[in-house]
Amino acid sequence: MLAGPMAVVAVAVGFAAQGLAPRPYGAAQGELLDALIDTPPPAQDTTTAAEQLRRLEARRATPQATATATASLGLDEPEAGPGVDLEIRVALLGAGTNPDLSASGAWQVVSRDGQLLQQGGAGSSVNLNELWLQGPEAWLQTSGTSVLVNGRPYGGRLRLIPESGGLRVVNHVGLENYIGAVVGAEMPSSWSLEALRAQAVAARSYALAHMARPANRHWHLGDTTRWQAYKGLSSSNERTRQAAASTAGMILSYQGAIVESLYAANRQISLEAHGHLGASMSQHGAQDLAMQGYRYNQILGHYYQGASLARLKAGAS
């Protein structure tokens, strides 16, 4: 990740019209995760996902009055709870306008209303010439472990949207699976697990901020360092998935807003890219702190001072 437009995003209904208050992180008014989808309204097939987002709440940590001096250096950890199953939409901007689409197992291309358009076996490619004639958009799904874009495996399913001059491919994938892949794309998976866990929380908080403020009506964010690096299953392994799972649902918040947790490779790049926006994590710095014995919440507390940890949970329906 190289840059971002601001460091905190409010998520109350109508946050875009409220303006920003001059506070640390540039926070805006609003209750944390009161609603995560604003206008324009989601397309019909994403309405269910939008409703799930609106019902989310966040449980903050309860300050520990008897915390030890070491623990006080870090952010208080919220209590564990059942996970929240969210789906994020990621535009595969590096796929090109005429990608080779396939799957690791039997696959189907279906229309928006569920009509079967094409089908094939593992390794066989979608006929894009036919696809242009079959409707305004389609979905590629598989009974195998992954869908393939130019040979690269991705979890979830693919939404295929014709655009002028080509095809836009959007990966609909579970949020935690996405975070595990982002961690591996943004940090060497051989680094300390505590640095990877800090990266997982930062990546999830950043992702939730963009689910609240989508880049496009069809997708929340892209797969380049303009947003967060994302390489699908090729950058996900046991250690990055462990980093995501052990911090599942955990985000950074500040005064009723999601921290758009910016980060960069080192302190110099972080200051140059994000210094005017507020807090930003140095990834190499996070690894250095982890090697000194810092836990992930202490690393986050070092870089996002004044923020707190919150854990997503399902709200009332």
Side-chain angles (χ1 to χ4, degrees), residues 1 88 90 175-188 196 199-200 202-204 206-207 221-223 227-233 235-236 240 244 263 283:
M1 175 193 295
I88 191 167
V90 187
L175 176 62
E176 296 303 328
N177 290 335
Y178 167 76
I179 296 303
V182 169
V183 170
E186 288 282 1
M187 270 188 176
L196 297 180
Q199 177 65 67
R204 186 181 298 107
Y206 184 89
L221 68 174
D223 65 344
W227 287 276
Q228 300 188 121
Y230 174 59
K231 300 178 181 178
L233 297 176
S235 62
S236 176
T240 68
Y263 52 86
Q283 292 164 310

Side-chain angles (χ1 to χ4, degrees), residues 80-106:
V84 177
D85 185 20
L86 294 176
E87 183 179 75
I88 191 167
R89 308 192 295 271
V90 187
L92 304 182
L93 302 174
T97 57
N98 191 39
D100 179 53
L101 303 177
S102 184
S104 63

Side-chain angles (χ1 to χ4, degrees), residues 12-278:
V13 174
F15 73 84
Q18 293 177 4
L20 299 180
R23 306 178 183 175
Y25 302 117
Q29 303 289 337
E31 290 301 316
L32 178 66
L33 298 179
D34 184 45
L36 281 177
I37 295 294
D38 199 15
T39 56
Q44 182 177 355
D45 54 277
T46 61
T47 299
T48 300
E51 288 302 319
Q52 289 178 324
L53 291 172
R54 288 194 178 93
R55 291 196 296 268
L56 282 179
E57 299 174 4
R59 179 179 299 156
R60 292 181 180 81
T62 301
Q64 300 294 320
T66 59
T68 65
T70 300
S72 67
L73 295 175
L75 304 181
D76 290 324
E77 298 174 271
E79 63 183 38
V84 177
D85 185 20
L86 294 176
E87 183 179 75
I88 191 167
R89 308 192 295 271
V90 187
L92 304 182
L93 302 174
T97 57
N98 191 39
D100 179 53
L101 303 177
S102 184
S104 63
W107 55 263
Q108 294 181 331
V109 175
V110 298
S111 66
R112 184 166 175 163
D113 60 6
Q115 178 183 356
L116 178 64
L117 302 178
Q118 296 182 39
Q119 58 185 334
S124 64
S125 297
V126 174
N127 187 327
L128 295 185
N129 290 329
E130 285 187 10
L131 191 63
W132 298 121
L133 305 175
Q134 291 174 323
E137 67 176 53
W139 295 84
L140 173 61
Q141 55 196 30
T142 181
S143 59
T145 57
S146 61
V147 287
L148 304 176
V149 181
N150 297 326
R152 174 172 286 176
Y154 291 86
R157 54 190 179 142
L158 300 178
R159 189 176 184 182
L160 312 176
I161 307 170
E163 293 184 343
S164 58
L167 187 71
R168 172 71 70 214
V169 179
V170 181
N171 186 200
H172 286 230
V173 63
L175 176 62
E176 296 303 328
N177 290 335
Y178 167 76
I179 296 303
V182 169
V183 170
E186 288 282 1
M187 270 188 176
S189 60
S190 60
W191 279 11
S192 166
L193 183 59
E194 294 304 316
L196 297 180
R197 295 174 78 192
Q199 177 65 67
V201 175
R204 186 181 298 107
S205 186
Y206 184 89
L208 261 291
H210 284 271
M211 291 176 77
R213 188 191 57 218
N216 180 280
R217 73 179 299 266
H218 295 303
W219 40 280
H220 296 123
L221 68 174
D223 65 344
T224 71
T225 53
R226 163 61 181 82
W227 287 276
Q228 300 188 121
Y230 174 59
K231 300 178 181 178
L233 297 176
S234 62
S235 62
S236 176
N237 60 41
E238 182 177 355
R239 298 191 84 242
T240 68
R241 290 191 292 271
Q242 181 182 356
S246 63
T247 61
M250 203 175 297
I251 62 170
L252 290 156
S253 70
Y254 177 79
Q255 294 190 4
I258 305 170
V259 175
E260 188 183 22
S261 41
L262 305 175
Y263 52 86
N266 57 50
R267 184 174 181 273
Q268 181 179 351
I269 297 175
S270 177
L271 288 174
E272 291 175 354
H274 308 143
H276 63 297
L277 297 171

